Amino acid sequence: MDSLIIPATGRTPGVSFDFVGGHLRMTGESYPDDVAGFFGPVFDALRGYLSCPDGGPIRFDMELLYFNSSSAKALMNILQMLETVAKAGRPVTLTWCVEENDESMRELGEDFAEDLRHVVFRMREIPAGGGP
């Protein structure tokens, strides 16, 4: 399956899904004008990837600095897809990257983690204004 690469814009996150390597990554900020239009192709590609029966472990690096409530719902849908395959036995690790001193993003990560029972959740602090 081909990778999914969507460059970041001022309002949409960068998406880098390396399906062969099992490495999924989202970066930047997410507050698109058309949430369904942006995330629809992401959902479709992810569903196709997760439906492959011989899939290996998945590593998802969530490196978003900001997202709005509509994006939060879309992100929750992605995490629920990952939770479903993890529950079925596929190893999934989510690394939630948060800038130091960004308590609101830290709390959002903790809130998302509460809904995950089978996905391994890790919080990783990164320097403010920097990167992982």
Side-chain angles (χ1 to χ4, degrees), residues 38-53:
F38 178 80
F39 280 100
V42 174
F43 292 156
D44 291 343
L46 188 59
R47 275 190 208 100
Y49 168 61
L50 296 177
S51 69
C52 296

